[in-house]
Amino acid sequence: MNLNQNIAYYRKLCGYTQEQLAERLGVTGQSVSKWENELSNPDISILPDLAKILGVDINSLFEETIHSPNEIVFTDLPSRCYNSLLSMYVKARHTFYYGVKQPLTEEKLHNQVEKLIKDFDFPLQRCCYMIDEGVEHGAVFISDAISIVDRSYGGIDSALLFGLDKVGELLSVIGDKNARKVLRLLYEKKITEGEGGTWLTPQFIANSTGLTVDEVNDAAMKLRHVRLLDEVEKIEQDGYLKQYCLLYTKDFVSIVAILRLAYIHTSDPIYDTLMYRDANNCQNYDGPGL
């Protein structure tokens, strides 16, 4: 394959139309069409940007044999996302608050991210900062286990969350110790035995958690009210068999995030918090010297 064929190959691999690739490069769609149909070649000055947009190096554009791109292992995604968010964090600090005194090169950015990872290399260390977006504020929270980007921090929409009854009901249920015991057992069964391990009888839950059957049923009723639990009854020879299970297992992502944030907030008060602006858009921190 030649340069023209490689452009078409990598463009399709990235999911771009000719017009989308042209827009990102600042050229016309007709130009991209001519490249791919071998009627012309891109200007040499465009090649670095072209390779970057297509996610390859310049040499790959000229390779005669296309090599399949390296696949990202699913288990690597959390660390990839974490590093990407840290990179965004560093860029925001550099751009928003210190001005660009000197170019933030990829090498310098990588070194700063590595330094942050090393500095945060224990369970509950994290960084949090707000950025001024004009009318509203944005916030970024980063830890080794959870990262949150909220573009509306300090906005009226965020303030409305404090008045939502359903929010209070969910937090009230999660705050119930017995409900958390039931959720913990279901969670442990889910991650150790899979989907089939999450259909449990009230008696089994009671025996495993130290609760009474009545306490289990009361906790289950609360969990069902906020759609974290489901109940099913099966007809057996000796009567009805009641079982509880997780309604939506994906909800555990949100629940664990809430519990993790609560744990961080109520645990060791010694941590690295970087707050640049308050809700009134007043700068209250001079910034670290990265």
Side-chain angles (χ1 to χ4, degrees):
M1 296 176 71
N2 56 29
L3 170 64
N4 309 79
Q5 294 171 327
N6 286 344
I7 292 174
Y9 173 81
Y10 286 119
R11 172 183 64 78
K12 294 174 183 177
L13 195 65
C14 292
Y16 296 135
T17 64
Q18 289 181 341
E19 289 72 19
Q20 288 172 332
L21 177 59
E23 183 179 357
R24 297 200 64 178
L25 281 170
V27 299
T28 65
Q30 188 178 19
S31 296
V32 176
S33 178
K34 287 183 177 180
W35 300 342
E36 296 185 359
N37 287 289
E38 303 185 34
L39 298 176
S40 66
N41 290 323
D43 188 276
I44 191 171
S45 63
I46 293 179
L47 292 181
D49 289 337
L50 177 60
K52 184 176 182 180
I53 292 170
L54 296 178
V56 297
D57 57 48
I58 293 180
N59 292 332
S60 297
L61 293 177
F62 295 91
E63 286 182 348
E64 294 184 4
T65 303
I66 292 292
H67 300 284
S68 300
N70 294 329
E71 295 183 357
I72 299 176
V73 180
F74 183 76
T75 52
D76 289 343
L77 285 177
S79 60
R80 292 289 188 98
C81 294
Y82 181 57
N83 291 350
S84 296
L85 199 59
L86 282 176
S87 297
M88 180 185 68
Y89 165 74
V90 172
K91 285 183 178 179
R93 291 163 68 178
H94 181 86
T95 304
F96 279 92
Y97 300 101
Y98 311 126
V100 185
K101 299 179 181 178
Q102 56 183 353
L104 183 61
T105 63
E106 287 296 324
E107 181 180 3
K108 183 177 180 182
L109 178 63
H110 174 76
N111 292 337
Q112 291 181 357
V113 169
E114 289 298 314
K115 180 179 183 300
L116 284 174
I117 292 175
K118 182 179 180 181
D119 290 345
F120 296 164
D121 193 18
F122 55 95
L124 295 181
Q125 187 72 326
R126 77 275 198 196
C127 55
C128 176
Y129 77 106
M130 291 180 286
I131 59 176
D132 177 26
E133 296 191 49
V135 178
E136 296 182 336
H137 304 277
V140 174
F141 176 92
I142 306 173
S143 80
D144 63 324
I146 181 174
S147 301
I148 297 172
V149 178
D150 190 338
R151 298 187 64 250
S152 62
Y153 176 86
I156 188 63
D157 290 343
S158 296
L160 292 176
L161 290 170
F162 292 90
L164 296 178
D165 291 339
K166 283 296 182 180
V167 172
E169 291 174 5
L170 176 63
L171 295 178
S172 176
V173 171
I174 298 177
D176 184 274
K177 187 174 183 179
N178 290 346
R180 291 201 308 277
K181 285 184 177 181
V182 173
L183 281 178
R184 175 177 177 175
L185 178 62
L186 288 168
Y187 184 77
E188 290 174 341
K189 286 289 183 180
K190 167 65 180 175
I191 62 178
T192 57
E193 300 180 23
E195 199 72 39
T198 59
W199 290 89
L200 306 177
T201 64
Q203 187 62 57
F204 180 88
I205 296 175
N207 294 340
S208 302
T209 59
L211 301 174
T212 66
V213 172
D214 287 341
E215 288 173 330
V216 169
N217 288 331
D218 180 63
M221 181 178 66
K222 295 177 181 178
L223 291 168
R224 289 185 63 197
H225 180 68
V226 293
R227 301 173 63 248
L228 290 177
L229 202 66
D230 198 8
E231 175 185 319
V232 64
E233 288 188 347
K234 296 182 180 180
I235 300 178
E236 302 286 340
Q237 292 182 348
D238 54 350
Y240 286 97
L241 174 66
K242 179 188 291 187
Q243 289 182 314
Y244 294 121
C245 74
L246 305 177
L247 185 55
Y248 301 112
T249 52
K250 63 180 177 59
D251 289 342
F252 264 126
V253 175
S254 302
I255 300 305
V256 169
I258 292 172
L259 294 175
R260 195 183 301 279
L261 286 171
Y263 180 59
I264 290 173
H265 179 71
T266 57
S267 61
D268 190 347
I270 301 176
Y271 55 83
D272 181 19
T273 301
L274 308 173
M275 292 298 221
Y276 293 106
R277 296 177 182 271
D278 60 22
N280 295 318
N281 197 26
C282 296
Q283 188 170 353
N284 61 3
Y285 185 70
D286 293 329
L290 278 183

